[in-house]
């Protein structure tokens, strides 16, 4: 933007200046009070404003999408020193999107199946949706299977009401591991199967976000076959040169209650909530999690930061499932594999060779060096 210097927004400014800070809800003492365009504060950094806060006037701002905890760049004036009148919110610099030639691995085609728990219906532990999901994966023969928890959910009505005599690890070993063994035996040896823990997972001793991978001792104890590995939560992996970011906490459901917007650039609300994670470079950018959330470990905040711009962002939510491309990033909510007494949804991805796609020049720029999201097709499949 060719900005010579950032200004302190708490000082009076007769001319338009640019400042940065964090969005804060003015109702600090009432966590249940919803944020609105009339209750916005900008919290400055220690360097620029000694952490002081200034009310934001967004009445003349044509477009915005804001939530508590969001880092923003604002342009406007502070005529009286009592509030900052915002003329526009500037887009933050993006993490670099690695060019194909700069990636450690060449971009090669692959297929993937992505699913999120719970994997059984709410009135039993038969895991019929998981059985159907495995049947589909065996028929499709994908190169990658991502199974996101919870596998044994603390929210299952029978466990919550004490209607089961089985311990969580017994449920896993007797009901889930046989399906994982069938999946591992039926796929090619080169195919990868990854489990991702959840904060609702009873078999995981770590209930706060972020979470380490499920330990090898735990996987062995519950009978998970060799060749099935676990990732951390969140995780960033590279598959055939494609960067995939996975966040298995319902940040979208938490954000939907806190966001305030006006004519945002991305009008579809659910993908816009997912885009906040990419724009903020953080897997949980909300300032304060809700009271019913398992908890966010502030001491582990470094593990919640994105290391690189993802090509595909996977963030399951109880909100409506979706797949959307925005600024060359695939935003995906595969939905849950079961919804109460009924089967849910999962996602099937297919990444094709970039050279086989005639992508528009507006996407590729001067060359086809960046990863074109048009090479990726996503299908939401109902179980």
């Amino acid at each position: 933007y060719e900005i010579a210097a950032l200004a302190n927004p708490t000082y009076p400014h007769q001319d338009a200046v640019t400042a940065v800070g964090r969005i804060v809800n003015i109702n600090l003492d009432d966590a249940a009070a919803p944020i609105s365009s009339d209750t916005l504060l900008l919290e400055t950094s220690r360097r620029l404003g000694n952490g002081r806060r200034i009310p934001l006037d967004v009445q003349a701002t044509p477009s915005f999408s804001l939530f508590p905890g969001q880092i923003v760049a604002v342009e406007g004036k502070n005529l009286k020193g009592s509030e900052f009148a915002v003329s526009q919110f500037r887009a933050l610099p993006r993490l670099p999107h690695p060019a194909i030639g700069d990636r450690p691995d060449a971009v090669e085609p692959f297929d993937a199946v992505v699913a999120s728990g719970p994997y059984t219906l709410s009135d039993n532990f038969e895991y019929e949706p998981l059985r159907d999901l495995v049947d589909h994966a065996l028929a499709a023969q994908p190169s990658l299977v991502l199974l996101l928890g919870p596998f044994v959910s603390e929210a299952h009505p029978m466990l919550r009401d004490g209607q089961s005599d089985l311990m969580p690890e017994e449920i896993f070993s007797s009901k889930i591991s046989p399906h994982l063994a069938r999946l591992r035996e039926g796929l090619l040896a080169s195919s990868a199967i990854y489990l991702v823990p959840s904060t609702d997972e009873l078999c995981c001793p770590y209930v706060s976000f972020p979470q380490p991978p499920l330990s090898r001792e735990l996987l062995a104890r519950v009978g998970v076959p060799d060749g099935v590995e676990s990732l951390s939560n969140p995780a960033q992996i590279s598959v055939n040169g494609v960067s995939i970011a996975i966040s298995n906490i319902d940040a979208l459901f938490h954000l939907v209650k806190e966001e305030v917007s006006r004519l945002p650039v991305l009008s579809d609300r659910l993908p816009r909530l997912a885009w906040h994670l990419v724009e903020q470079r953080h897997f949980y950018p909300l300032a304060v999690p809700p009271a019913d959330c398992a908890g966010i470990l502030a001491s582990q905040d470094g593990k919640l930061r994105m290391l690189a711009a993802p090509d595909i962002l996977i963030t399951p939510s109880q909100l409506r499932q979706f797949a959307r491309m925005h600024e060359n990033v695939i935003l995906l909510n595969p939905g849950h594999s079961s919804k109460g007494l009924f089967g849910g949804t999962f996602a099937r991805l297919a990444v094709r060779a970039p050279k086989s796609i005639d992508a528009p020049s507006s996407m590729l720029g001067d060359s086809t060096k960046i990863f074109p999201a048009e090479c990726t097709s996503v299908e939401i499949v109902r179980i």
Side-chain angles (χ1 to χ4, degrees):
Y1 298 117
E2 299 182 355
I3 300 171
L6 296 173
N8 183 344
T10 65
Y11 289 168
H13 295 281
Q14 302 302 312
D15 299 323
V17 297
T18 300
V20 296
R22 185 175 69 162
I23 296 297
V24 179
N25 190 351
I26 199 171
N27 299 306
L28 297 176
D29 297 329
D30 186 1
I35 189 173
S36 72
S37 59
D38 299 323
T39 64
L40 296 173
L41 292 175
L42 183 70
E43 184 179 67
T44 62
S45 66
R46 293 181 181 178
R47 178 182 177 186
L48 291 178
N50 293 321
R52 287 181 292 181
R53 295 165 174 167
I54 184 77
L56 291 181
D57 178 7
V58 295
Q59 293 183 6
T61 311
S63 174
F64 58 82
S65 174
L66 306 171
F67 61 89
Q70 181 180 15
I71 304 300
V72 295
V74 296
E75 182 180 292
K77 302 177 181 179
N78 185 350
L79 297 178
K80 300 179 180 180
S82 58
E83 67 177 11
F84 191 89
V86 182
S87 59
Q88 66 172 320
F89 289 90
R90 291 189 176 274
L92 298 180
R94 288 270 306 279
L95 282 171
H97 210 134
I100 288 179
D102 296 334
R103 301 183 182 218
D105 301 314
V107 175
E108 300 291 343
F110 69 92
D111 297 292
V113 167
V114 181
S116 174
Y119 294 95
T120 188
L121 304 182
S122 60
D123 62 347
N124 63 62
F125 288 112
E126 297 304 318
Y127 283 83
E128 294 161 322
L130 179 60
R131 179 200 63 199
D132 295 343
L133 174 65
V134 170
D135 289 342
H136 173 87
L138 293 178
Q141 289 292 308
S143 305
L144 172 69
V145 177
L146 290 173
L147 300 178
L148 285 63
F151 300 95
V152 183
S153 173
E154 66 173 5
H156 195 287
M158 293 181 64
L159 289 175
R160 187 179 56 212
D161 298 337
Q163 299 178 15
S164 174
D165 296 330
L166 296 175
M167 297 295 290
E169 290 190 8
E170 293 175 328
I171 296 174
F172 199 116
S173 61
S174 62
K175 301 296 183 179
I176 300 174
S177 293
H179 291 299
L180 296 179
R182 188 164 62 94
L183 180 63
R184 180 66 278 175
E185 293 173 0
L187 294 181
L188 297 176
S190 58
S191 298
I193 304 173
Y194 291 116
L195 311 181
V196 181
S198 165
T199 54
D200 293 333
E201 177 60 57
L202 283 176
C203 292
C204 180
Y206 303 95
V207 297
S208 297
F209 189 69
Q211 296 172 290
L214 300 173
S215 68
R216 293 186 179 274
E217 291 78 9
L218 172 62
L219 296 180
R221 193 163 62 244
V222 296
V224 173
D226 294 337
V228 177
E229 303 294 336
S230 178
L231 300 173
S232 62
N233 178 31
Q236 285 191 266
I237 61 176
S238 177
V239 179
N240 286 11
V242 177
S243 175
I244 301 177
I246 306 163
S247 179
N248 196 19
I249 189 172
D250 203 343
L252 305 189
F253 187 70
H254 300 164
L255 281 170
V256 76
K257 302 177 181 179
E258 299 289 345
E259 187 203 35
V260 57
S261 64
R262 176 191 298 158
L263 298 176
V265 175
L266 183 54
S267 58
D268 194 342
R269 189 178 193 187
L270 299 185
R272 183 174 72 245
L273 297 175
W275 180 250
H276 282 314
L277 277 63
V278 178
E279 184 184 50
Q280 296 291 302
R281 310 180 181 189
H282 201 277
F283 287 106
Y284 198 88
L286 193 62
V288 180
D292 58 352
C293 178
I296 309 299
L297 291 177
S299 61
Q300 301 295 319
D301 184 74
K303 296 180 180 179
L304 298 180
R305 300 183 184 275
M306 292 188 181
L307 304 177
D311 298 311
I312 302 172
L313 172 65
I314 301 170
T315 174
S317 173
Q318 60 182 292
L319 302 175
R320 174 178 52 84
Q321 63 275 5
F322 63 83
R324 172 73 182 268
M325 182 188 74
H326 184 64
E327 294 193 17
N328 211 37
V329 177
I330 299 295
L331 307 171
L332 173 62
N333 169 21
H336 295 309
S337 296
S338 70
K339 295 181 179 180
L341 299 175
F342 304 96
T345 58
F346 67 93
R348 186 166 55 193
L349 290 82
V351 176
R352 296 297 171 246
K355 62 183 179 180
S356 67
I357 303 295
D358 184 17
S361 58
S362 61
M363 173 62 69
L364 301 180
D366 297 331
S367 68
T368 58
K369 290 185 178 180
I370 64 172
F371 174 76
E374 283 93 342
C375 297
T376 304
S377 64
V378 183
E379 178 184 4
I380 303 295
V381 182
R382 186 165 298 280
I383 297 177

